[in-house]
Amino acid sequence: MISLIGLPGSGKSTVGRQLARRLQIPFYDSDRLIEERLGCSISEFFEREGEQRFRDIEAQVIDELTQQPQGVISTGGGAVMRGENRDHLHQRTRVVYLNSAPDELFRRLRHDKNRPLLQVPDPLARLRDLHCQRHPLYLETAHFSVDTGRPSVGKLVNMILMQIECDGQAASAGNPLNSST
Ligand code: S3P
């Protein structure tokens, strides 16, 4: 399993879908699955039940998805806030952090009304806060990171595929640091 983490707007769903297509494995978008389960949008649910109830359901869905035999999971940007999600993602999947600058995300999400956390008077300041708060958690959870600044989606997918292939080769060759010779 491969999972993608990063702030809202970093491209987790778009990159995840293409990555899964290239690898010919299933694609799971955790936010879409949560919405199917809730029978309403995440924004509506946030308003009605609050963020903590959403986080409980998100944790259940991540627990289930990370136990699938194969696939690519795109997670919601706040999934790393809970330790149990960080553990499940890190231990059960290869985690890729799509690292984006808050200014870049702001340009992409300026007109987006579907992200409840960004419906505030100063969304750029909010994105900067979220980045400060979460960047260390994304780094801690990820096996590797890619910067989303310049490359196209296709290039990002190639970079991730190369990294995964290198990981696979390193694993099958054994880790030289563990060798006793
Ligand atoms: C959230 C990000 C959203 C969604 C929810 C909470 C967050 O997903 O899970 O609105 O806390 O950053 P995206 O990262 O796909 O926007």
Side-chain angles (χ1 to χ4, degrees):
M1 290 295 286
I2 300 168
S3 52
L4 300 179
I5 60 173
L7 283 174
S10 56
K12 299 175 297 275
S13 302
T14 314
V15 170
R17 192 171 291 111
Q18 281 211 21
L19 188 60
R21 195 175 303 142
R22 290 275 293 275
L23 290 168
Q24 299 187 318
I25 57 177
F27 171 63
Y28 303 102
D29 185 323
S30 74
D31 280 345
R32 296 294 79 77
L33 288 172
I34 293 169
E35 288 185 328
E36 275 172 26
R37 209 163 279 194
L38 298 175
C40 68
S41 73
I42 290 174
S43 301
E44 284 172 64
F45 192 78
F46 252 66
E47 230 168 82
R48 226 176 40 225
E49 308 270 344
E51 181 173 347
Q52 287 319 307
R53 273 296 296 141
F54 167 76
R55 297 291 172 208
D56 292 341
I57 295 162
E58 180 177 51
Q60 273 171 24
V61 168
I62 287 182
D63 184 27
E64 288 167 25
L65 287 179
T66 52
Q67 296 185 63
Q68 295 298 311
Q70 60 169 7
V72 176
I73 309 169
S74 84
T75 60
V80 295
M81 300 302 289
R82 286 210 176 169
E84 97 185 80
N85 293 339
R86 296 200 292 278
D87 290 347
H88 287 154
L89 288 164
H90 189 84
Q91 285 161 14
R92 300 174 179 167
T93 75
R94 298 306 292 164
V95 187
V96 185
Y97 171 27
L98 299 185
N99 185 11
S100 317
D103 300 48
E104 175 196 340
L105 298 173
F106 177 66
R107 276 195 299 277
R108 291 192 199 163
L109 296 178
R110 258 180 322 203
H111 306 298
D112 193 310
K113 295 280 169 256
N114 294 320
R115 273 136 167 143
L117 290 179
L118 300 181
Q119 306 313 305
V120 290
D122 188 350
L124 176 57
R126 188 69 197 265
L127 282 165
R128 288 188 175 135
D129 281 353
L130 289 175
H131 187 266
C132 267
Q133 203 181 61
R134 294 178 178 175
H135 181 71
L137 300 176
Y138 290 135
L139 288 177
E140 173 194 317
T141 311
H143 294 96
F144 60 92
S145 308
V146 288
D147 289 337
T148 62
R150 282 164 187 278
S152 62
V153 171
K155 283 209 180 102
L156 283 173
V157 170
N158 285 339
M159 285 158 69
I160 295 170
L161 285 169
M162 266 166 58
Q163 187 67 48
I164 286 169
E165 205 171 298
C166 285
D167 276 8
Q169 280 170 6
S172 59
N175 183 345
L177 294 175
N178 291 338
S179 154
S180 55
T181 53

